[in-house]
Amino acid sequence: MATWDDVRRIALALPETTERGSYDDLPAWRVRDKMFVWERPLRRADLDALGDAAPDGPVLGVRMPDLGAKEAVLADDPAVHFTVPHLDGSSVVLVRLDRIEVAELTELITEAWFARAPKRLAAAHRADV
């Protein structure tokens, strides 16, 4: 299963990615100052909303390209991907880091990077891949 070291390695391998603390000063990765993945611990309201289904392991926030992509990921594997009421209407999906395979994590992080990267940078990276 994936670790924070995997997240760091995958994210920093993408062009112009930097690691800088989020609003809570937790690890976050950005492309040109736009956050695309970050550590997202569950808050009291999240725990209350999820009840017994709340995970107790590390949680990664991932910015998806749009709500349709978020819904597809949530439907794909609810044991790994989830959301909370606070994120309703946003394209962010939460990931149980200790349940996701590194290959799938790589796909999610890369998709998140493309969703936040400037169009020219994303096009240049696609041309290089």
Side-chain angles (χ1 to χ4, degrees):
M1 294 297 131
T3 66
W4 289 115
D5 288 337
D6 294 319
V7 173
R8 181 171 286 110
R9 177 183 49 76
I10 295 163
L12 291 175
L14 295 163
E16 298 191 34
T17 295
T18 57
E19 181 176 347
R20 192 176 83 224
S22 66
Y23 310 110
D24 299 333
D25 205 30
L26 296 169
W29 294 267
R30 302 164 190 266
V31 56
R32 294 214 183 146
D33 209 34
K34 291 184 177 179
M35 210 162 46
F36 63 98
V37 291
W38 60 94
E39 183 175 351
R40 181 25 172 101
L42 296 178
R43 299 175 176 111
R44 170 61 30 213
D46 302 332
L47 295 169
D48 291 344
L50 294 171
D52 292 339
D56 58 1
V59 175
L60 178 69
V62 179
R63 174 78 60 180
M64 302 304 298
D66 54 45
L67 289 174
K70 174 183 179 175
E71 293 305 319
V73 166
L74 289 171
D76 181 51
D77 191 351
V80 174
H81 316 103
F82 68 105
T83 190
V84 293
H86 175 75
L87 298 174
D88 287 350
S90 87
S91 62
V92 173
V93 67
L94 301 177
V95 177
R96 291 174 174 95
L97 195 57
D98 57 356
R99 292 192 180 182
I100 191 168
E101 297 291 336
V102 173
E104 183 183 356
L105 178 66
T106 301
E107 288 178 28
L108 279 176
I109 290 174
T110 303
E111 186 174 3
W113 183 89
F114 276 111
R116 300 297 280 172
K119 290 178 182 175
R120 287 185 185 155
L121 179 60
H125 183 58
R126 277 192 182 95
D128 289 343
V129 179

